[in-house]
Amino acid sequence: MMRALITGGSGFIGRNLVEYLGDRYDISAPGSAELDLLDERSVREFLRSGGFDVIVHAATTRSNRSLGAPPDMLDRNCRMFFNLARNQALFGKMLHFGSGAEYSRECLPVSVKESYFDTRVPRDAYGFSKYICAKYAEKADNIFVLRLFGVFGRYEAWEVRFISNACARVVKGLPILVRRNVAFDYLYVKELARLTAWFIENEPRHKAYNFCRGRTFTLLELAQMVAAVSGRNPEIIVRDEGMAPEYSGDNTRMLGEIGAFSSVR
């Protein structure tokens, strides 16, 4: 059985990965008390004794509507990544969850392709941190970048994640709030786990992949779906007029290797 280290195991994505892949691999998902990814020496010793075939790096520091970007976000994200990456001789390969934000959200093309990377340097700390890590991965033999756009599913923070927030508001008898309509490429977290398993067990031909569905839904469409499923006919409020820029990726490169989503087990 392959031995895998999953960082960020208590977070939304990491927690789902541990649950969905726990029967498939020998997984270690230490909390910060057991492994401080910001401590260079501790990380090296943990990797030296772990004998991991693969690291799935899901730990990250980010911001959302209710939590502003911490001043050390850039430092934290880069330090966690490099404390792992600089010890690449101690593990088989590393799958690093990047982000569509590393393309730069400014003037981002619809269904952006991987070849667009490095056309622009992101101005925000989160996107820039992911950009720096992806640039390093380009030159590393055993580090691969899986760029996420939108992910939804169990354990997501309902306070700030649109789909679960819409469901919660309906349950509470409140209107569904769309601050501004935008089209997102959403990937169900269980599909993300299945795709991750493919990349664990196979050797990728490229260094980076858009990890997405290749299909978009607007927030208004999602709100209407939630309303229809609920059967409660909730009010849907769109606060700001117009559409925000679409946030989507072209997944042709990924599908060229894994085949259809239905073929991934």
Side-chain angles (χ1 to χ4, degrees):
M1 181 177 286
M2 295 183 70
R3 183 154 172 74
L5 168 63
I6 297 178
T7 68
S10 61
F12 163 48
I13 289 177
R15 188 175 177 184
N16 277 284
L17 290 177
V18 171
E19 287 194 3
Y20 289 128
L21 304 180
D23 294 335
R24 197 161 179 159
Y25 312 111
D26 178 11
I27 291 178
S28 177
S32 57
E34 185 180 356
L35 176 62
D36 182 1
L37 291 174
L38 298 174
D39 187 326
E40 178 182 0
R41 181 176 299 178
S42 296
V43 172
R44 183 182 301 112
E45 292 305 314
F46 192 90
L47 294 180
R48 182 175 286 124
S49 62
F52 297 108
D53 298 296
V54 62
I55 296 174
V56 181
H57 184 39
T60 190
T61 299
R62 62 180 308 153
S63 60
N64 54 50
R65 291 195 306 271
S66 62
L67 180 66
D72 61 347
M73 176 187 287
L74 177 64
D75 179 86
R76 290 177 62 88
N77 282 343
C78 289
R79 197 169 298 279
M80 287 190 291
F81 172 84
F82 284 106
N83 282 345
L84 294 166
R86 291 179 66 251
N87 293 291
Q88 58 193 273
L90 300 179
F91 55 82
K93 66 182 173 185
M94 176 174 165
L95 303 177
H96 165 66
F97 283 121
S99 168
E102 64 200 56
Y103 290 116
S104 179
R105 295 292 293 268
E106 296 182 0
C107 303
L108 184 68
V110 171
S111 297
V112 63
K113 296 179 181 292
E114 291 88 351
S115 58
Y116 186 79
F117 178 69
D118 205 18
T119 299
R120 292 175 176 270
V121 177
R123 294 185 179 182
D124 65 290
Y126 178 75
F128 189 37
S129 69
K130 294 295 185 179
Y131 167 88
I132 292 171
C133 297
K135 287 296 291 182
Y136 182 90
E138 287 182 334
K139 304 298 182 182
D141 292 334
N142 60 343
I143 302 177
F144 304 90
V145 179
L146 309 177
R147 294 188 180 120
L148 303 175
F149 289 79
V151 182
F152 74 99
R154 191 178 184 185
Y155 305 131
E156 69 178 14
W158 67 268
E159 299 92 342
V160 294
R161 298 276 186 167
F162 180 78
I163 295 176
S164 57
N165 182 264
C167 294
R169 293 180 71 88
V170 170
V171 170
K172 293 181 178 182
L174 299 172
I176 299 175
L177 176 62
V178 178
R179 287 173 171 79
R180 189 180 182 190
N181 201 17
V182 60
F184 272 97
D185 188 322
Y186 273 102
L187 182 66
Y188 180 40
V189 74
K190 193 169 184 177
E191 291 179 322
L192 182 148
R194 291 165 55 204
L195 292 171
T196 301
W198 189 96
F199 279 89
I200 289 174
E201 297 169 10
N202 295 273
E203 287 305 311
R205 297 199 298 262
H206 299 275
K207 298 301 300 179
Y209 297 82
N210 288 335
F211 225 47
C212 58
R213 251 290 174 181
R215 179 184 179 187
T216 61
F217 290 93
T218 68
L219 297 187
L220 183 56
E221 288 174 328
L222 293 172
Q224 291 167 342
M225 291 180 192
V226 171
V229 170
S230 73
R232 298 189 180 190
N233 194 31
E235 181 185 5
I236 299 174
I237 299 173
V238 180
R239 190 183 66 182
D240 299 329
E241 295 182 357
M243 291 285 293
E246 182 173 315
Y247 189 49
S248 61
D250 184 309
N251 64 359
T252 301
R253 175 182 289 182
M254 181 181 70
L255 294 182
E257 293 188 39
I258 70 169
F261 271 73
S262 60
S263 67
V264 181
R265 296 287 183 263

